[in-house]
Amino acid sequence: MPRSLPVVLLLVLIAAVTTGCSDDTQPPAAAPTPSASVAAQLDDPPGTLTCTKVVSAVREGTLMTPGVVTDIVTASTTADAPVADEAQRLSTAFTAAVAAHNTDNEPDAIAAVSAAAAAMVKVCGDSGLETVG
């Protein structure tokens, strides 16, 4: 190894350490999260986002995909009561289905998720939110 290489590595190491310890550096700012009012403005009329997500999940057959039901339930925080109530029922059924994984109850639990999603899609359709957006 040439004699200058250890010196260069030492200088790079010193520069990295002293740069990282500087008082002038600021940690990166966290990305802003949308406020509840912004979320409500995006969900106009209330429940549109939730209904769009559940209808899409039913059509695509992704209800049991991790994160899909959570996303639907999260979107329901700005929805009106009928849609939000159905989202909670869907969440309850999904939680039970996950708990029933690899048991004799799993098929029935998954069927309950499908039934809850179908009921939710019906509420969305009855309220006119299935086709909005």
Side-chain angles (χ1 to χ4, degrees), residues 49-54 56-57 63 65-77 87 90-91 94 120:
L49 293 175
T50 309
C51 288
T52 300
K53 289 177 184 295
V54 74
S56 176
L63 280 169
T65 302
V68 171
V69 170
T70 301
D71 192 33
I72 293 167
V73 173
T74 300
S76 76
T77 59
L90 177 61
S91 177
F94 179 78
M120 189 170 180

Side-chain angles (χ1 to χ4, degrees), residues 32-53 74-79 129 132-133:
T33 56
S35 66
S37 63
V38 171
Q41 289 172 355
L42 295 174
D43 194 22
D44 187 27
T48 303
L49 293 175
T50 309
C51 288
T52 300
K53 289 177 184 295
T74 300
S76 76
T77 59
T78 56
L129 296 174
V132 173

Side-chain angles (χ1 to χ4, degrees), residues 17-46:
V17 169
T18 57
T19 301
C21 294
S22 171
D23 289 334
D24 295 336
T25 60
Q26 296 284 331
T33 56
S35 66
S37 63
V38 171
Q41 289 172 355
L42 295 174
D43 194 22
D44 187 27

